Amino acid sequence: AEVGESAMEERVKDIIDAQTNPTIAPYAKDGEAILRITAKARDEEEANRLIDPVAAVLKERLGDAVYGEGETDLETVVAEQLLQKQLTLAVAESCTGGMIASNLVEYPGISAALVEGCVTYSNEAKMHRLGVKAETLEKYGAVSEETAKEMAEGIARTSGADIGLAITGVAGPESSEGKPVGLVYIAIAYKGKTEVYTCHFVGKRNKIRERVAYTALNRLRKVINDEA
């Protein structure tokens, strides 16, 4: 599961409470949960000697929820993984409206990995561009595990990418198809297997969309890592 700011703090609360120098401060920024370690020291070298063992304990406690340190952000980590492993990606987005592709495009050189990004918002687009079956949409709805699966497989197949990532959900402010605001399905098709993740988010429309984008990138990061 993804680890938000409050869950992250709870996991390492005993470590935070035990520290006086360095100090540890959890906070959230742009959808990411961050731990800031601050040391009081004579110089940078001494500060790093104080910080390094604390950072190591935090990383051990949080496990694979940690994806970077310093100024590294999630889209950079995912972009570098794709490029290092020479994997290609195509993205089909509904409720995120191109946000995932836009985040990845922030990384220079991502064109070697990001084949295509499609905003397949309507049912017609899901059928005509991705090959989602009309009966799937009629039986399960656009916001469903079944539709997400066909979207991911469709974007991978039609683009020729190694990985297909798809998003469908309800960002709000109103429910859709009787599905609640914040219900989102993230699907990743890779090497003949498709995983679908059911997520529930709270907040206003744009905040939900941001959290979906980061969650999808984090899921992609974990899928790629599993193949390492």
Side-chain angles (χ1 to χ4, degrees):
E2 274 58 47
V3 180
E5 181 192 2
S6 60
M8 175 184 68
E9 184 175 0
E10 187 62 32
R11 282 197 195 183
V12 298
K13 188 175 186 303
D14 59 317
I15 302 173
I16 294 173
D17 292 345
Q19 295 296 316
T20 54
N21 188 31
T23 57
I24 305 166
Y27 68 101
K29 179 184 178 184
D30 298 332
E32 296 177 294
I34 298 170
L35 286 167
R36 182 176 59 218
I37 308 171
T38 305
K40 295 179 180 179
R42 290 188 303 270
D43 52 38
E44 185 176 348
E45 184 179 349
E46 182 185 346
N48 287 333
R49 280 201 302 270
L50 292 168
I51 288 170
D52 287 347
V54 175
V57 170
L58 291 171
K59 285 190 280 189
E60 183 179 0
R61 178 72 64 86
L62 292 167
D64 69 357
V66 178
Y67 52 77
E69 56 185 305
E71 296 302 314
T72 300
D73 54 31
L74 184 54
E75 51 263 38
T76 296
V77 171
V78 172
E80 289 177 348
Q81 285 179 331
L82 289 168
L83 292 167
Q84 287 167 6
K85 293 175 182 292
Q86 298 184 319
L87 294 170
T88 53
L89 170 71
V91 185
E93 303 183 57
S94 187
C95 67
T96 43
M99 190 175 287
I100 295 169
S102 179
N103 285 345
L104 287 171
V105 167
E106 293 290 330
Y107 188 87
I110 193 62
S111 58
L114 183 61
V115 174
E116 186 174 358
C118 294
V119 179
T120 50
Y121 205 61
S122 68
N123 283 357
E124 289 74 17
K126 292 178 178 67
M127 289 187 289
H128 296 155
R129 175 62 189 84
L130 307 176
V132 175
K133 298 182 181 66
E135 51 265 35
T136 300
L137 291 162
E138 184 176 348
K139 184 175 181 180
Y140 301 105
V143 181
S144 64
E145 179 178 345
E146 292 80 6
T147 294
K149 180 175 184 293
E150 292 186 18
M151 287 174 66
E153 292 170 352
I155 193 68
R157 181 181 64 252
T158 58
S159 69
D162 297 314
I163 306 171
L165 170 63
I167 310 293
T168 183
V170 185
E174 297 178 352
S175 60
S176 177
E177 302 177 340
K179 314 284 176 62
V181 173
L183 173 63
V184 176
Y185 295 94
I186 299 169
I188 300 175
Y190 182 41
K191 289 194 172 181
K193 182 181 180 183
T194 305
E195 296 286 348
V196 183
Y197 309 96
T198 305
C199 304
H200 300 271
F201 299 96
V202 295
K204 294 185 178 180
R205 177 180 176 84
N206 284 342
K207 184 58 64 176
I208 287 174
R209 293 172 64 234
E210 288 173 4
R211 291 186 64 197
V212 173
Y214 270 94
T215 301
L217 284 173
N218 199 35
R219 284 290 176 182
L220 179 59
R221 174 184 71 87
K222 292 180 178 181
V223 167
I224 296 170
N225 273 342
D226 285 344
E227 298 297 324

